[in-house]
Structures are given as structure tokens and as C-alpha cells.
Amino acid sequence: MDSKGDTERQAILRDKIIREKQRAKEESFLSRILSILKPEMSLCDIGCGTGHIIRELATNSENVFLVGLDISPAMLRVASDNVGNLLNVALLRGDGYELPFSDGALDIMIARLAEYSPQEVYRALRGEGCFIEYGLGPEADKEIFEFFPDRIEEDNFFIPKSPEEWRDEACRELRDAGFVVTGLEDYKRKDYYHNEEEVMDLIEMVPLVRDFDRKKDRKTVLELAEKHRVERGIGITWHYCIIEGRKPKEKG
Ligand SMILES: C[S@@+](CC[C@H](N)C(=O)[O-])C[C@H]1O[C@@H](n2cnc3c(N)ncnc32)[C@H](O)[C@@H]1O
């Protein structure tokens, strides 16, 4: 495992933004997971980051076994504080491209804005097991794109490559791994940031902009803030999609 994943600074910013924007409580994602998560089932959150989703699941379901997996020791430290001593939760350092589970070990896998191999997810799920992914739609953070058009860190940001065919693109990878795609829905809203410091936290958290420097880039962020400020704050588009795939029943 060479990669260390997100840094300490990213972990702290992610923790702060998820709390402020209530991003762990997004009903569309949580309710989908909770609707299939039944007692005795096991679930792994790949790239669990700060552990907020795992905590929500643990407090809203009973008798389930939850694993939060992340490659970043810094994220896992924050996650450990967030999940406290929940007895049915394990945090594990591991790679989404090489999952540390035996074949068919888990009932449900989820991934929110995370890196993973669909083939590995398929392998580690039992027959009829379910995978729910939370990805981004093409309009996510478009206000930032508008002001930093040539400096977007595309490798860090899971923005679909093709704004026209992004739905097909999103399903193709899962189908290629063997999944039956059972649902795809996208949602859009604005998140409001109180001031330019908060917008800069967002940019740094991903990080969204190449070589971003709070001092040097402040002027551009102030222009962005000026243009997109309304009474509730600086509006930044949040566009996400939820894809659900099911592994077919095993034969024999
Ligand atoms: C964008 S964050 C999302 C975190 C969390 N799922 C959330 O929604 O807040 C991506 C996470 O994936 C982790 N990560 C990056 N590469 C990974 C890999 N190969 N395997 C597992 N986790 C990885 C990072 O450390 C980070 O915590």
C-alpha cells in the first residue's frame, strides 16, 4: 500500500465541512442504504474518510456489522474519534483497489466520492449483494470551475469526463464488472458558505484547484464570492448522483 490517501489537513477540513453542511445526513443516500441494511448484515464503506456515514448507519440500524475502510491513516484517526466506541464498527486501513476481504464476504458495500475497483467490490460481495455509490454530477462546484478554469485538479475530483454521457459513463463501469444496475438518480442543490474563508476550505479539502494558495488566490476567490453571494451566503452547486448495483445470484 504505497498511497497514503488524504492528508491530516484534508481530514480536518472534511470533518469540519461535513458537520457544517450536514453532508452525512443526506437522506437520499442514507435512506437507500438503510432500506436494504437488515439485522445480521455486514457493510463496508470504502474510502470512509471521517467515518460520519458509518456513524449514522450505526446509530440508525441494529445488529449490523460495519467496516470503515480507508487508505489514509490521518482520515482513520479522525474517523476513530467520530465513531467512538461503537461496538459494531471496525475501522480498517486498506486499499479500495485491493480489498482485504475474502470472496463473497460482505452483504453491502458503499462508496462516497471514493476510489475503488468495481471488480474488487464485485468479488467481495456475496451473490445478490448490493453496492451503492455516491458520485458527482457534471455541475458539482461549477462556480469554482468558472473562476479557476485551467487549474482544476481533475485527478482529485471525481467529476464525470463527459457532461453529455455521464449517466452512461457512470453505469458502464459497474456493468463491466458484472453488476446489474438497479438505480441511478441525481440531485442538485446549492450549499451556502458564509465567507471566502469557507470557500477556500472547500477548495483545499478536495483539493480542487492545482497549487492553490490562500494568499495568492484570495483575489479570485473574492471575485467568485462577489458574483455568487446571495442573502444566505455564497452559493456553490452541489450535484451528486447515487448509483445502485446488484450482484446477480450465484449459480448452483
Ligand atoms: C473524497 S474523500 C471521501 C471520504 C468519505 N467517503 C466522505 O464522503 O466524506 C476520499 C477518501 O478516500 C480515501 N482514499 C483515497 N484513495 C484510496 C484508496 N485507494 N483506497 C481506500 N481509500 C482511499 C481518502 O483517504 C479519503 O478519505
Side-chain angles (χ1 to χ4, degrees):
M1 230 185 302
D2 292 336
S3 165
K4 290 216 167 24
D6 285 15
T7 61
E8 190 85 43
R9 170 95 180 128
Q10 284 175 285
I12 291 166
L13 289 172
R14 182 163 290 278
D15 193 48
K16 179 170 173 257
I17 289 178
I18 288 180
R19 282 169 200 277
E20 285 171 1
K21 306 289 169 234
Q22 301 266 306
R23 280 205 185 147
K25 295 186 194 289
E26 262 155 355
E27 292 209 342
S28 39
F29 191 49
L30 266 189
S31 60
R32 255 168 207 264
I33 303 167
L34 288 169
S35 72
I36 55 168
L37 183 61
K38 306 287 179 222
E40 313 297 328
M41 281 188 172
S42 53
L43 173 149
C44 172
D45 181 3
I46 305 168
C48 67
T50 55
H52 283 100
I53 299 274
I54 286 283
R55 192 181 60 192
E56 286 299 321
L57 294 174
T59 45
N60 286 291
S61 53
E62 280 173 29
N63 268 346
V64 290
F65 178 60
L66 306 168
V67 183
L69 178 121
D70 204 287
I71 207 163
S72 156
M75 276 295 181
L76 289 170
R77 277 194 292 277
V78 174
S80 171
D81 289 343
N82 285 331
V83 299
N85 6 342
L86 290 164
L87 290 177
N88 56 340
V89 172
L91 294 174
L92 197 61
R93 178 154 190 246
D95 188 347
Y97 292 101
E98 216 174 315
L99 293 169
F101 305 113
S102 53
D103 298 357
L106 292 146
D107 298 298
I108 301 174
M109 291 210 152
I110 62 170
R112 187 170 78 160
L113 307 174
E115 293 191 37
Y116 65 92
S117 142
Q119 286 75 16
E120 271 293 273
V121 174
Y122 188 88
R123 180 191 64 72
L125 272 178
R126 68 162 165 82
E128 295 192 295
C130 193
F131 176 49
I132 304 181
E133 183 187 12
Y134 176 120
L136 289 179
E139 291 188 43
D141 297 327
K142 63 181 180 188
E143 296 76 9
I144 315 257
F145 278 59
E146 182 191 342
F147 280 84
F148 292 95
D150 306 321
R151 286 174 57 201
I152 293 298
E153 280 277 21
E154 296 196 6
D155 284 353
N156 290 336
F157 191 51
F158 309 102
I159 197 84
K161 295 273 178 286
S162 153
E164 293 80 33
E165 292 167 31
W166 69 277
R167 285 186 178 78
D168 296 342
E169 233 176 58
C171 298
R172 194 174 310 124
E173 277 205 342
L174 290 195
R175 290 204 178 104
D176 286 353
F179 284 101
V180 176
V181 176
T182 48
L184 186 150
E185 257 183 277
D186 69 309
Y187 307 81
K188 250 182 264 178
R189 62 154 198 266
K190 290 260 189 209
D191 274 346
Y192 291 95
Y193 295 79
H194 295 117
N195 51 44
E196 55 281 1
E197 294 301 324
E198 284 194 358
V199 175
M200 291 199 272
D201 286 349
L202 168 72
I203 293 173
E204 267 194 77
M205 171 187 88
V206 178
L208 261 171
V209 172
R210 198 175 330 112
D211 301 325
F212 184 73
D213 182 311
R214 286 180 96 101
K215 246 190 197 159
K216 288 190 197 145
D217 291 316
R218 172 173 294 271
K219 192 167 163 278
T220 311
V221 176
L222 283 170
E223 284 163 12
L224 180 160
E226 188 61 29
K227 176 162 181 196
H228 293 288
R229 193 188 303 277
V230 291
E231 208 173 317
R232 294 177 62 188
I234 305 160
I236 305 283
T237 304
W238 188 239
H239 184 192
Y240 64 97
C241 68
I242 295 175
I243 312 176
E244 206 173 296
R246 201 164 271 278
K247 180 168 173 172
K249 193 174 181 176
E250 271 149 14
K251 292 186 185 115

